Amino acid sequence: MSDDHTHVREFFTARAAGWDRRFPGDGPAYAAAVAELGLRAGDRVLDAGCGTGRALPPLRTAVGPSGVVVGADLTPAMLQAAVAAGRDLQGRLLLADVSALPVRSGSLDAVFAAGLIAHLPHPTENLRELARVVRSGGTLALFHPIGRAALAARQGRQITPEDLRAEPNLRSLLAGSGWRMTSYVDEEARFLALASREG
């Protein structure tokens, strides 16, 4: 993917209004993935590439009223859909590129990223930017509500050995970006890789 985000914005702009209707049963999978982050009351968490904000309600529940929840997305229409769904009440929404976040270094406890990795133009550098904003020992969750094989079938393609989400590829990518993979699950009903921010 090039650094020009026009294609990504166009893709998601065209689908934003109906996005939640296309995937109406994903809520429990999001809640279960958020639970795996191990967030505590008062924690500060970013939903990177938040889209319509489906993770924001369980993130808010996890950190409580004293915590901070921020959702960042590149596409204005997706953020507008999040507002229309009332999810802006669960956290602050930012129109921002995850490759250059307007967030202080080390200020967050965790990052949640659903479906994001496939849209990163420079995965190593972009994951390093996510590491920058997280404190040492903080957590990253790379999530998708269906597994790699199911997603490939939905998109009419085959999984290749070069797939970034394959365990050895992702482990190496994370290690080169300031993260250490701590858990990897790739099942029909979900994909979830957890990583810890290295010192």
Side-chain angles (χ1 to χ4, degrees), residues 17 32 45 60 69 100 155 179:
V45 61
R60 171 55 65 197
V69 177
Q155 296 173 342
W179 299 98

Side-chain angles (χ1 to χ4, degrees), residues 26 64 72 104 114-115 123 129 136 145 153 156 158 169 183 199:
D26 286 350
R104 286 191 331 272
E129 172 66 357
S136 177
Q158 297 290 321
N169 299 341
S183 174

